[in-house]
Amino acid sequence: MQLVIIADIDAAKGTSTTSELATEYADNVTFIECDVTNQESVEDTLGKAKDTYGRLDIISNNAGAMMENDPIGTINLNLCGVIRVAAVAMSYMRADKGGSGGIIINTASLTGVKPSYNCPAYCASKSGVIGFTRSFAMNPDFDLHKVRMNCLCPGMVDTPMIQGVLDEDGKEGRVLNFDRFRYAANLPQLKPSAVADVFIDLVENESKNGAAMLITVEGPPRDIEFPIY
Ligand SMILES: NC(=O)c1ccc[n+]([C@@H]2O[C@H](COP(=O)([O-])OP(=O)(O)OC[C@H]3O[C@@H](n4cnc5c(N)ncnc54)[C@H](O)[C@@H]3O)[C@@H](O)[C@H]2O)c1
Ligand SMILES: CCCCC[C@H](O)CC\C=C/C=C/C=C/[C@@H](O)[C@@H](O)CCCC(=O)O
């Protein structure tokens, strides 16, 4: 049986999403309020998840936002949040420390490899997520801990994030040039299910440890090729 914990800083949205899923999955989905920028909150959330279900197998490290009006906050949420969650999750998942191994999938972005002058802090945070993922996955200790890591690099996806920037608060500096962002946001977008499909493929396909998956409307998902030095 698959048991899922949804963790998010937005308790109202998290609770309503969990209730929606409960109509199909009954008590197999639980919500915990969590702020990934806060170490104690992350420890508390993952500790409760472990206590409730006995083990952690799959982590979707997905929290993020675009807020160029707070570049340091952007790095703290999008990059440090990912590293913070991965570190605590590892303490439960490591096969050499009583866990069962598993997989951590971090959400990066197309902007982690393709620069955008409109959101330099966001781009930096997502490049960091890609570097963290690839470096973590090449560690020879994998044979001991058995935790794989991947990242997702989607282009624009039709989610509330884009609308959030397009709404009034977007004009207050979440991007550097609001009109250019509005133009980009009107181009074709991925559906969230396209990203979820790649997520599931990574969980099921053990040969892709370390892959950074590019997902765009232009073609099928692919493993990004990086220069080798
Ligand atoms: N929408 C896109 O075009 C797009 C494209 C590529 C990557 N991404 C990335 O996908 C991820 C999900 O974004 P989305 O598009 O679904 O947007 P979204 O705004 O719907 O989801 C982001 C979620 O992160 C949560 N969150 C924000 N701060 C948090 C914190 N401190 N602690 C815990 N949770 C927090 C929000 O409450 C929200 O539920 C993000 O990392 C985003 O950068 C989005
Ligand atoms: C708030 C939604 C943020 C979505 C961020 C995702 O990670 C999407 C990444 C994919 C594409 C992002 C494109 C962003 C474009 C804008 O910054 C745009 O203003 C760039 C304009 C470029 C140009 O003028 O040529």
Side-chain angles (χ1 to χ4, degrees):
M1 184 189 305
Q2 306 289 336
L3 304 168
V4 173
I5 292 203
I6 296 177
D8 200 289
I9 198 170
D10 186 338
K13 198 160 66 172
T15 309
S16 68
T17 303
T18 305
S19 305
E20 251 177 69
L21 290 169
T23 58
E24 194 171 344
Y25 301 104
D27 291 336
N28 298 342
V29 190
T30 313
F31 175 70
I32 302 177
E33 187 173 341
C34 175
D35 177 358
V36 301
T37 67
N38 181 307
Q39 178 73 21
E40 207 182 319
S41 176
V42 171
E43 285 173 8
D44 183 55
T45 301
L46 293 179
K48 279 183 188 154
K50 165 77 165 58
D51 290 346
T52 308
Y53 293 151
R55 58 190 244 200
L56 305 182
D57 299 317
I58 302 168
I59 301 284
S60 171
N61 215 346
N62 184 57
M66 187 176 274
M67 39 191 198
E68 293 300 320
N69 46 2
D70 181 7
I72 303 301
T74 299
I75 300 293
N76 190 28
L77 170 58
N78 294 358
L79 174 58
C80 302
V82 161
I83 296 173
R84 200 174 282 118
V85 170
V88 178
M90 276 301 282
S91 69
Y92 294 115
M93 295 172 76
R94 296 184 66 111
D96 55 346
K97 298 275 166 70
S100 317
I103 183 166
I104 300 173
I105 300 183
N106 305 318
T107 308
S109 163
L110 170 64
T111 60
V113 282
K114 176 183 179 295
S116 170
Y117 73 87
N118 216 0
C119 47
Y122 183 86
C123 290
S125 71
K126 296 302 187 178
S127 298
V129 172
I130 295 171
F132 175 70
T133 304
R134 298 178 64 227
S135 303
F136 177 99
M138 73 193 297
N139 189 320
D141 283 354
F142 172 76
D143 289 340
L144 300 173
H145 64 64
K146 308 235 185 285
V147 180
R148 291 180 282 137
M149 189 178 280
N150 290 98
C151 64
L152 304 168
C153 303
M156 286 264 196
V157 191
D158 183 10
T159 72
M161 190 185 204
I162 292 173
Q163 198 53 47
V165 178
L166 290 175
D167 288 345
E168 281 305 302
D169 65 346
K171 295 178 180 133
E172 289 170 14
R174 296 251 242 134
V175 286
L176 298 187
N177 183 314
F178 186 75
D179 290 333
R180 290 303 301 172
F181 180 77
R182 185 164 46 199
Y183 167 80
N186 279 320
L187 297 173
Q189 294 177 1
L190 294 159
K191 292 198 185 326
S193 60
V195 182
D197 287 345
V198 177
F199 186 101
I200 291 165
D201 183 58
L202 290 171
V203 170
E204 291 176 345
N205 191 337
E206 295 196 2
S207 70
K208 287 189 174 162
N209 189 24
M213 299 300 299
L214 187 68
I215 312 163
T216 68
V217 290
E218 275 88 30
R222 64 186 164 87
D223 185 343
I224 299 172
E225 279 180 39
F226 293 92
I228 297 168
Y229 294 101

